[in-house]
Amino acid sequence: MVDNVGAGASGDDGGVKLEQDRLLPIANVGRIMKQILPPNAKISKEAKETMQECASEFISFVTGEASERCRKERRKTVNGDDVCWAMGALGFDDYAGPLRRYLQRYREIEGDRANQEKPANTNNTITADQEKEAPTSSSSSYRNNQGIRM
């Protein structure tokens, strides 16, 4: 994979990405690797780079399959369900199930969070009559003085 490092570096092509542009940030990869190891463990640069390439390739592989499904269905957005489907289609059934459960739980939490924020925001709206009563100099300062957030 490293044999094409520097391809497209001139910037003339525009369609070819640099090798580093398609890889996950190595600092993030190293941080994730450290989380599972004992505190005093060291990780070589070569190990981080190898894991960086493997993880990036895996993500690219799964995302490509999900993207192909979207293309066939004439959709432009890849979503979490597409990624879960791709994992199963590519034979990663052991991961597809837990990923589906994680995605379902994530959506539940996000839905709960959105529902909690709705009532708080509806109390802070200004009606058209209140806007008319605002001083003509600056309606935003009027809102701030009234403790109303926008």
Side-chain angles (χ1 to χ4, degrees):
M1 273 188 238
V2 181
D3 20 333
N4 67 350
V5 172
S10 64
D12 295 338
D13 189 4
V16 179
K17 285 188 171 186
L18 292 172
E19 181 78 7
Q20 290 299 321
D21 289 344
R22 68 167 198 81
L23 298 175
L24 296 168
I26 198 154
N28 294 2
V29 172
R31 192 175 317 115
I32 292 168
M33 291 173 74
K34 283 183 181 181
Q35 289 176 354
I36 196 68
L37 296 172
N40 59 345
K42 304 276 189 229
I43 306 171
S44 72
K45 181 179 178 184
E46 183 181 72
K48 290 178 191 176
E49 289 172 350
T50 301
M51 188 59 72
Q52 178 190 35
E53 286 189 39
C54 291
S56 298
E57 186 65 28
F58 178 76
I59 290 168
S60 203
F61 183 54
V62 173
T63 304
E65 188 71 16
S67 179
E68 183 63 23
R69 177 186 188 198
C70 291
R71 188 190 63 74
K72 286 178 182 175
E73 294 178 3
R74 299 181 190 269
R75 293 186 292 122
K76 294 186 178 186
T77 304
V78 175
N79 61 40
D81 295 317
D82 298 320
V83 173
C84 292
W85 174 87
M87 294 282 275
L90 293 169
F92 298 107
D93 299 314
D94 291 345
Y95 301 102
L99 185 59
R100 279 190 194 95
R101 288 190 297 278
Y102 177 86
L103 180 61
Q104 180 181 358
R105 183 70 181 129
Y106 174 81
R107 287 176 174 162
E108 289 171 3
I109 291 169
E110 286 300 307
D112 291 347
R113 186 176 296 152
N115 289 336
Q116 289 175 353
E117 290 176 3
K118 280 183 183 178
N121 289 339
T122 57
N123 294 336
N124 294 331
T125 57
I126 295 178
T127 64
D129 293 335
Q130 290 171 324
E131 186 68 35
K132 289 177 187 173
E133 296 171 6
T136 55
S137 62
S138 171
S139 61
S140 63
S141 64
Y142 171 76
R143 290 183 190 120
N144 291 337
N145 290 337
Q146 298 300 314
I148 300 170
R149 294 182 303 163
M150 296 302 285

